[in-house]
Amino acid sequence: MASIARTFMAARPAMLRLAPRAAPIARTPFRTFSSSRMSLLRKYTKDHEWVDLSADHKTAVVGISEYAAEQLGDVVYVELPEAPGDWIEQGDAIGAVESVKSASDINAPIRCKVHSVNKALEEKPSTINQVPEDDSHGGGWIAKVDIDEAGVKQFEGLLDAEAYQAFVSTVDEE
Amino acid sequence: MRPLRHLGRRPIVPPPSSSSSFTIPITSSRQFSESAAANPSNKTQIYVSRSTDPLTNLSLEHRLLQTTHPDSTVLLLYTNRPCVVIGRNQNPWVEVNQARLGPQSAIQLVRRRSGGGAVFHDEGNVNFSVTCPPKAFHRDTHAEMVVRALKSLGEGAARVNERHDIVVDRGEEGTFKVSGSAYKLTRLRSLHHGTCLLRSPGLRSISGLLRAPGETFIKAQGVDSVRSPVANVGVEPAAFVDAVVDEFRRMYGGGGEVDGFGDEVLEVEKVREGYEEMRERAWVYGQTPRFVLSTEATEDDPRERPAVPFEKLAEGFLHDLLSDYVPVLTFSQSKLYIEAKRGIINNLKLNGTSLESPSIVGASIWEISDWATRLRDAGAEVDDVQEVGAWLDGVLATQP
């Protein structure tokens, strides 16, 4: 979703500076109710997707970052992938969102196979704007996926929270 | 665009007329070449289409988005023959009066890959499209470019509004939209395309075309169009094309050539594949987000419903306490409820009872041309099945 990142750059600079960047990572209370409470690790892509890997390395949850959600502007529709679906390669579309007349793809952060989707987003797409990094019930996560060894390997190559925040701040300064 | 399930191969019928209404300042005589488009040294590319087929133009536009170098900036200008173009996540049965399109009037219904609302195109409308790197993208940048082009042609009142559309202020008459925009954003590329009404003869028909008979009965997920009063700018299409090319060159340099292409561009395999994919009804209708059509107010959609034509005065019987049947006249009307996702029926209820037949559940709306017969086949046992069917033929109409 690098594309999305620039969408509102010139229009909402003040918003960007004020945005609480570290908030989602620190938001542990949500995890208590999460089906992925076993989750050990969250990593990010440079395209602004996040992925939570389960402890057993068999499943993961994916979504888009707070940064991406801000850049998108008001999300009016989320097109979810089919569940259960086929294997999706890293970087291929796993869904799509529409905001401010723009259709944007959401890409698979790692090779994965969708086993369930966040149906609540169909009724309430704005959840993506409110809690994009929340993987619990009522959160803005996109899909729960199965992963294989290739996906785990790709996961290792992604950015951890700190590296992602650093990346985002360089994007902003450009 | 995800792969479609029903990619039957129908031959491409050549469009009735393929000549553009304006003379094009094409300076190059070479054929469209994917490898030239993808060449990193071609940082600025300008294309003007001779084709008036909306699918040819949209398909080439998409191919340029996929193949041009991520650092390049690409301008494309094209004019389509009469068509209605809806956004990627819209519902055609909410947006378009499909009975007015018809084979006779030959107005094609098209679903594009970008977001946004429904627009009407004809030969008096020129479309501009700029594909650039995400880093350079802003929703207003190229609308402003077109505004400068319009100003250079004497339309001083043109400006970009808060919806990223181009409007003209016409004093006491009010403000009119002359150009609407939509965007497609991918990892490597950002596409902004827009219409520009110059001398559209079909202006008066727009509001009728974009008003669907089923609108008041349907609650749809996805994107609703925002209605705006529209006007023609009143400049010649050829002059507009020249002026936009000039402004584009001013921004991105490149005294480069203007490449032209016509329908022969469909010989390029991927352009042709894109064309065929967009032509499928599984795309035009099957990409429709979930919706509910109901003749009664529902919890999710409490709007009061207008009368439906199958409401009729019917004879009934009242069971009276003395065990006599007394004939009375009552209003009888079947209550209809349809739930569909991706244009496929999930549930259809008549008077609260779901029809479980596979000729309804799992059926694609676009494959039903005679609803009364289909409902009877599915075992519908209501008196007014003929009327219900005839009504549905209208509100869920599709182009063949």
Side-chain angles (χ1 to χ4, degrees):
Chain A
M1 293 196 20
S3 47
I4 290 167
R6 289 313 175 122
T7 310
F8 259 59
M9 226 35 130
R12 301 168 65 189
M15 190 84 182
L16 293 179
R17 279 193 298 273
L18 295 173
R21 283 289 145 62
I25 294 98
R27 200 187 278 145
T28 42
F30 280 113
R31 296 294 180 78
T32 318
F33 305 100
S34 165
S35 59
S36 58
R37 60 201 294 181
M38 301 271 288
S39 169
L40 290 176
L41 270 177
R42 171 168 295 185
K43 287 201 176 191
Y44 296 81
T45 68
K46 287 187 175 177
D47 292 337
H48 308 285
E49 288 101 11
W50 55 261
V51 51
D52 277 355
L53 186 65
S54 69
D56 63 4
H57 290 195
K58 298 269 193 244
T59 62
V61 186
V62 302
I64 67 168
S65 72
E66 289 230 333
Y67 178 83
E70 268 166 31
Q71 305 300 323
L72 277 171
D74 292 341
V75 173
V76 290
Y77 183 66
V78 181
E79 185 179 331
L80 296 165
E82 297 208 16
D86 298 327
W87 285 97
I88 301 172
E89 295 304 322
Q90 182 179 36
D92 286 353
I94 195 173
V97 293
E98 178 157 346
S99 57
V100 203
K101 304 184 195 181
S102 308
S104 311
D105 289 336
I106 300 168
N107 304 311
I110 53 176
R111 177 179 147 86
C112 61
K113 186 176 165 171
V114 175
H115 70 74
S116 64
V117 294
N118 187 0
K119 282 213 157 94
L121 294 179
E122 292 187 338
E123 289 299 330
K124 217 175 157 227
S126 61
T127 308
I128 288 247
N129 292 110
Q130 290 147 8
V131 279
E133 299 205 18
D134 180 355
D135 66 356
S136 71
H137 182 73
W141 59 277
I142 305 280
K144 301 196 170 168
V145 299
D146 295 326
I147 51 174
D148 59 7
E149 278 176 30
V152 174
K153 196 151 192 218
Q154 289 161 349
F155 180 86
E156 285 160 11
L158 300 182
L159 306 173
D160 62 22
E162 201 179 327
Y164 176 70
Q165 295 308 331
F167 167 72
V168 163
S169 54
T170 63
V171 171
D172 272 357
E173 280 158 17
E174 270 174 34
Chain B
M1 193 152 126
R2 68 181 51 192
L4 296 167
R5 277 161 295 218
H6 321 267
L7 271 184
R9 291 275 171 254
R10 284 188 280 159
I12 292 176
V13 183
S17 155
S18 227
S19 62
S20 182
S21 56
F22 50 82
T23 45
I24 302 160
I26 295 169
T27 57
S28 142
S29 56
R30 61 193 171 210
Q31 291 254 315
F32 174 74
S33 144
E34 275 197 343
S35 56
N39 190 327
S41 66
N42 291 328
K43 286 267 186 287
T44 306
Q45 302 180 31
I46 304 174
Y47 299 88
V48 178
S49 172
R50 285 184 303 267
S51 172
T52 59
D53 184 330
L55 297 186
T56 302
N57 289 324
L58 284 169
S59 183
L60 182 79
E61 182 183 63
H62 186 63
R63 195 59 193 150
L64 287 170
L65 173 120
Q66 291 175 317
T67 54
T68 50
H69 191 272
D71 292 336
S72 65
T73 306
V74 181
L75 173 70
L76 166 63
L77 292 150
Y78 55 95
T79 291
N80 291 329
R81 59 175 190 259
C83 58
V84 168
V85 186
I86 59 172
R88 177 189 167 112
N89 299 310
Q90 290 204 290
N91 184 316
W93 300 289
V94 171
E95 298 295 336
V96 187
N97 188 344
Q98 299 192 62
R100 289 254 198 127
L101 305 176
Q104 293 86 359
S105 54
I107 300 174
Q108 188 175 2
L109 175 63
V110 175
R111 185 191 293 274
R112 59 177 185 264
R113 292 180 170 94
S114 59
V119 287
F120 173 73
H121 290 197
D122 65 13
E123 58 275 20
N125 170 70
V126 175
N127 303 290
F128 61 91
S129 154
V130 178
T131 299
C132 69
K135 280 185 182 180
F137 175 77
H138 182 271
R139 285 186 175 82
D140 286 342
T141 306
H142 297 105
E144 296 287 3
M145 173 186 83
V146 172
V147 163
R148 288 194 295 277
L150 290 173
K151 286 188 167 162
S152 77
L153 296 168
E155 184 49 89
R159 61 180 171 88
V160 179
N161 74 3
E162 68 291 345
R163 287 184 44 76
H164 318 287
D165 292 329
I166 300 173
V167 295
V168 292
D169 295 312
R170 294 267 162 86
E172 288 183 2
E173 284 177 63
T175 297
F176 297 88
K177 175 171 162 178
V178 296
S179 160
S181 286
Y183 313 88
K184 166 82 188 163
L185 310 174
T186 69
R187 209 158 56 83
L188 296 173
R189 305 293 271 158
S190 299
L191 179 149
H192 169 191
H193 57 187
T195 55
C196 195
L197 290 165
L198 300 175
R199 292 188 183 282
S200 167
L203 213 59
R204 289 220 181 107
S205 61
I206 292 181
S207 93
L209 280 169
L210 301 182
R211 206 172 283 276
E215 188 186 346
T216 44
F217 298 92
I218 296 176
K219 164 103 171 157
Q221 288 177 356
V223 177
D224 291 329
S225 296
V226 175
R227 237 170 251 289
S228 313
V230 292
N232 279 313
V233 177
V235 306
E236 283 304 321
F240 176 78
V241 168
D242 269 338
V244 172
V245 168
D246 283 351
E247 289 299 330
F248 181 80
R249 284 199 169 127
R250 203 158 288 158
M251 291 173 79
Y252 299 103
E257 299 200 83
V258 175
D259 278 298
F261 68 89
D263 290 307
E264 80 287 343
V265 79
L266 292 176
E267 286 160 23
V268 178
E269 191 188 345
K270 292 287 184 185
V271 176
R272 187 183 182 90
E273 277 175 23
Y275 182 106
E276 292 185 348
E277 207 172 0
M278 290 195 103
R279 195 167 55 126
E280 288 300 326
R281 294 197 292 168
W283 170 252
V284 179
Y285 298 106
Q287 177 66 17
T288 306
R290 185 179 177 278
F291 74 93
V292 168
L293 180 157
S294 176
T295 55
E296 307 292 310
T298 63
E299 201 177 313
D300 282 346
D301 183 12
R303 288 176 299 172
E304 201 172 306
R305 302 299 201 268
V308 287
F310 50 91
E311 184 176 69
K312 60 176 184 181
L313 208 54
E315 207 170 313
F317 294 94
L318 192 69
H319 189 203
D320 141 318
L321 284 174
L322 299 168
S323 77
D324 259 343
Y325 287 95
V326 181
V328 291
L329 289 174
T330 58
F331 281 103
S332 117
Q333 178 212 311
S334 290
K335 296 177 172 65
L336 179 68
Y337 176 95
I338 301 177
E339 204 184 296
K341 191 176 174 184
R342 295 192 157 264
I344 294 168
I345 300 167
N346 287 341
N347 189 5
L348 185 153
K349 287 193 275 194
L350 264 174
N351 296 329
T353 308
S354 291
L355 297 185
E356 308 285 358
S357 160
S359 63
I360 289 292
V361 179
S364 307
I365 289 172
W366 63 89
E367 305 207 318
I368 303 177
S369 53
D370 177 355
W371 277 89
T373 304
R374 185 67 70 112
L375 290 171
R376 275 197 207 94
D377 289 350
E381 290 174 348
V382 293
D383 295 339
D384 52 0
V385 66
Q386 194 60 41
E387 287 82 0
V388 172
W391 183 73
L392 280 175
D393 287 346
V395 297
L396 292 180
T398 54
Q399 279 193 318

